[in-house]
Amino acid sequence: MKRLLSLILCLVPLFSGCGSIYLNYKDIEQIKVIQTMGLDYIPSGVQLTLSSASTGSGNGEALCLTGSGNSISEAMEQIRNYSYEDELFFSHINQIIIGEDAAKHGIEKYLNFICRSPDLRIDTPLYVVKDKSAKETMGKVGSKSKGVSEILKAIETNDKLHNNSRVISAAQVINNLQKYGGTLISALEYGEAAENGKDKDDKSKAPEMTAAPAGYAVFKGPELCAYIDRENAVGVDLLLNRLGISDIVVADNKGRPVTLETTGGKSQVVPVWGENGELIGIDVFADVSATIVEMEDDSTVSKEEITDLMISKLESEISSRTGYVLQLSRKLQTDFLGLGGRIELNSPQKFRAMKTDFAQILPALELRISVSGELSHTNDKR
């Protein structure tokens, strides 16, 4: 009798919905996987925008939701309460976009939320969108089949392949602010997509928009204070020893454009100390390699002369762009490049004995840049 009773008790869960191991199961179509978060400043607090990839929305179209509140948590709760979506899943957020106005007002509270939220990873990439809000960018870029999440994922993939990763995570931003008092965040710009070319004769169709890399946003403390455009971002990448593939346009001896493509580079930062032990300057030594990818033929000039001229042009351009970035750091009086850390590694005892904070003496330092260029190959047919 006891055996029979035990068997009945074991079989009850199999026929009872309450005892099913699938009690909390939901169809994948009911779950909306959020992959991109946007943060904007409003006078009353925060405007939050959430977007899924088209593959994570259940119907093949990118989802975009917006809410506001005194805090990010309150804005997120508003979206949950007022959305007709079945369930929002936040643990797959892969990118966070900060609107320009929000960045100017300061990102400290956003970083604090990222650190404390159980749904976000601290290594999530951050972006600042130039001249736009995160809401406008996320709501208008892409198409029904490809939203902002896919666009940013493509940017990150291309960046890793060609530029040794310019994307900067929340963890890196927090670390830079704590150690150096300044930081860089990857910048985006909002513009017309190249795909519009195929429909350019169709005037009735609104052009598709996209987000594209736009160099770096510069922060002094938690506030946005400047941008470094794509052209001068080469100087940043060289100083951070992650220079990858970038196009540099120079002129030949007849003033015609020549496109050089960098293939790599590295830099060394050497402190210059005075007799009293104070830091008086910084010497930057850089090596850069490139190839010639586009130029017009010139039979009047030898291959050796072309090589010498292009190396000279390469060195001049790299020196100019690196100098621009260093001068900006001096002007803003913020070590967004982390130069202080490199100097400390070079001369730890002297650096720690400095009486004045490194960022404060930046404007008075003498900066010297020496660039050595190399053409690895020219694809020359001759």
Side-chain angles (χ1 to χ4, degrees):
M1 183 67 181
K2 290 182 179 178
R3 290 182 180 179
L4 179 60
L5 180 61
S6 298
L7 179 61
I8 292 172
L9 290 175
C10 289
L11 290 174
V12 165
L14 298 179
F15 297 100
S16 170
C18 295
S20 172
I21 62 172
Y22 298 107
L23 176 63
N24 295 320
Y25 173 81
K26 288 182 179 291
D27 290 333
I28 191 65
E29 289 80 6
Q30 293 178 280
I31 300 175
K32 313 304 179 186
V33 181
I34 302 301
Q35 296 194 21
T36 305
M37 172 184 284
L39 298 165
D40 287 307
Y41 167 82
I42 55 174
S44 60
V46 179
Q47 187 171 65
L48 178 68
T49 306
L50 302 173
S51 178
S52 72
S54 59
T55 54
S57 65
N59 60 1
E61 293 186 8
L63 178 72
C64 195
L65 305 170
T66 301
S68 60
N70 293 321
S71 65
I72 299 174
S73 299
E74 188 176 310
M76 190 174 288
E77 189 63 24
Q78 185 191 72
I79 290 176
R80 281 196 181 101
N81 291 336
Y82 287 88
S83 170
Y84 55 76
E85 303 298 337
D86 295 307
E87 184 169 336
L88 302 176
F89 187 70
F90 298 103
S91 295
H92 278 286
I93 292 176
N94 297 320
Q95 308 99 6
I96 298 174
I97 299 177
I98 302 171
E100 185 179 86
D101 203 25
K104 287 180 177 178
H105 279 84
I107 60 173
E108 191 171 14
K109 63 181 177 182
Y110 308 136
L111 297 176
N112 288 337
F113 178 81
I114 294 169
C115 286
R116 293 184 171 91
S117 172
D119 295 318
L120 297 176
R121 302 187 314 275
I122 197 169
D123 63 347
T124 303
L126 299 183
Y127 297 92
V128 172
V129 58
K130 293 179 65 175
D131 304 321
K132 299 289 181 181
S133 68
K135 177 185 177 182
E136 182 177 7
T137 303
M138 293 172 64
K140 293 185 178 180
V141 303
S143 59
K144 289 184 177 180
S145 61
K146 179 179 288 188
V148 66
S149 299
E150 287 97 339
I151 291 172
L152 292 182
K153 190 63 178 177
I155 289 174
E156 291 168 17
T157 300
N158 184 66
D159 183 65
K160 289 177 181 178
L161 287 173
H162 299 104
N163 297 303
N164 298 326
S165 191
R166 290 176 176 172
V167 178
I168 300 170
S169 69
Q172 291 172 297
V173 169
I174 293 168
N175 180 67
N176 291 342
L177 289 175
Q178 290 177 342
K179 290 180 67 175
Y180 310 122
T183 190
L184 297 169
I185 295 181
S186 301
L188 297 173
E189 61 184 3
Y190 174 79
E192 192 171 321
E195 282 78 0
N196 291 312
K198 60 186 178 182
D199 297 320
K200 61 183 180 181
D201 295 329
D202 186 359
K203 304 298 182 182
S204 63
K205 185 177 180 181
E208 289 186 5
M209 307 302 289
T210 191
Y216 295 101
V218 181
F219 285 75
K220 183 176 183 179
E223 290 91 25
L224 172 68
C225 58
Y227 288 104
I228 297 174
D229 59 23
R230 279 179 292 186
E231 184 175 282
N232 288 303
V234 171
V236 172
D237 298 333
L238 180 61
L239 288 166
L240 296 181
N241 283 321
R242 62 185 186 203
L243 180 63
I245 297 175
S246 294
D247 288 344
I248 295 178
V249 179
V250 298
D252 64 11
N253 58 354
K254 295 183 178 180
R256 299 172 300 184
V258 177
T259 302
L260 304 177
E261 184 179 78
T262 61
T263 56
K266 58 183 180 179
S267 64
Q268 182 181 9
V269 175
V270 179
V272 180
W273 302 96
E275 294 181 359
N276 59 354
E278 288 298 306
L279 184 66
I280 60 174
I282 298 174
D283 289 339
V284 177
F285 300 95
D287 297 305
V288 180
S289 60
T291 64
I292 300 175
V293 295
E294 186 176 4
M295 70 177 298
E296 295 186 39
D297 291 333
D298 190 349
S299 58
T300 64
V301 182
S302 68
K303 182 178 178 180
E304 289 73 21
E305 290 175 309
I306 292 175
T307 299
D308 290 343
L309 177 62
M310 290 302 107
I311 289 176
S312 174
K313 296 280 187 175
L314 173 66
E315 293 173 343
S316 177
E317 280 295 320
I318 292 294
S319 179
S320 174
R321 299 181 191 195
T322 304
Y324 171 85
V325 174
L326 290 171
Q327 292 296 341
L328 181 62
S329 183
R330 291 178 58 173
K331 178 183 176 182
L332 298 175
Q333 204 169 327
T334 178
D335 185 22
F336 58 81
L337 295 163
L339 296 175
R342 296 179 70 175
I343 293 172
E344 184 178 8
L345 287 174
N346 183 283
S347 308
Q349 292 182 335
K350 290 183 178 180
F351 186 85
R352 291 165 191 169
M354 289 171 54
K355 299 177 182 179
T356 309
D357 182 73
F358 175 72
Q360 293 180 351
I361 65 172
L362 256 174
L365 294 179
E366 180 182 357
L367 301 176
R368 293 179 296 191
I369 304 170
S370 177
V371 179
S372 176
E374 176 189 15
L375 289 185
S376 54
H377 61 82
T378 64
N379 296 321
D380 199 328
K381 296 180 180 179
R382 289 179 291 170

